[in-house]
Amino acid sequence: MDTCELAKKKYGYKFGNAISSHIIGKYPHEQPDDPSGLCFDVHPDNHQDILQLDKIGN
């Protein structure tokens, strides 16, 4: 079951868009060191804890 189907079944969400995410970070324009990285995205393939400290300890 993909993420959209899970959200629909479990929470009653309706499909909104094929591409969507939310950027996590101090600045919304902040980019990861790896341009293809998902470290600032809420995404099923991003397994990083969103509460972890950044590389300078913030």
Side-chain angles (χ1 to χ4, degrees):
M1 178 179 310
D2 71 16
T3 304
C4 291
E5 288 297 316
L6 177 64
K8 185 167 70 172
K9 183 176 181 178
K10 189 170 182 178
Y11 302 108
Y13 290 170
K14 295 181 181 179
F15 181 75
N17 196 337
I19 299 173
S20 64
S21 68
H22 181 75
I23 297 177
I24 306 273
K26 188 172 183 178
Y27 305 103
H29 60 272
E30 188 175 9
Q31 296 296 311
D33 294 333
D34 175 1
S36 64
L38 297 171
C39 64
F40 296 131
D41 296 324
V42 175
H43 188 281
D45 292 332
N46 180 1
H47 303 290
Q48 293 180 327
D49 181 351
I50 64 171
L51 300 176
Q52 75 182 20
L53 301 178
D54 66 14
K55 60 186 169 187
I56 59 171
N58 294 316

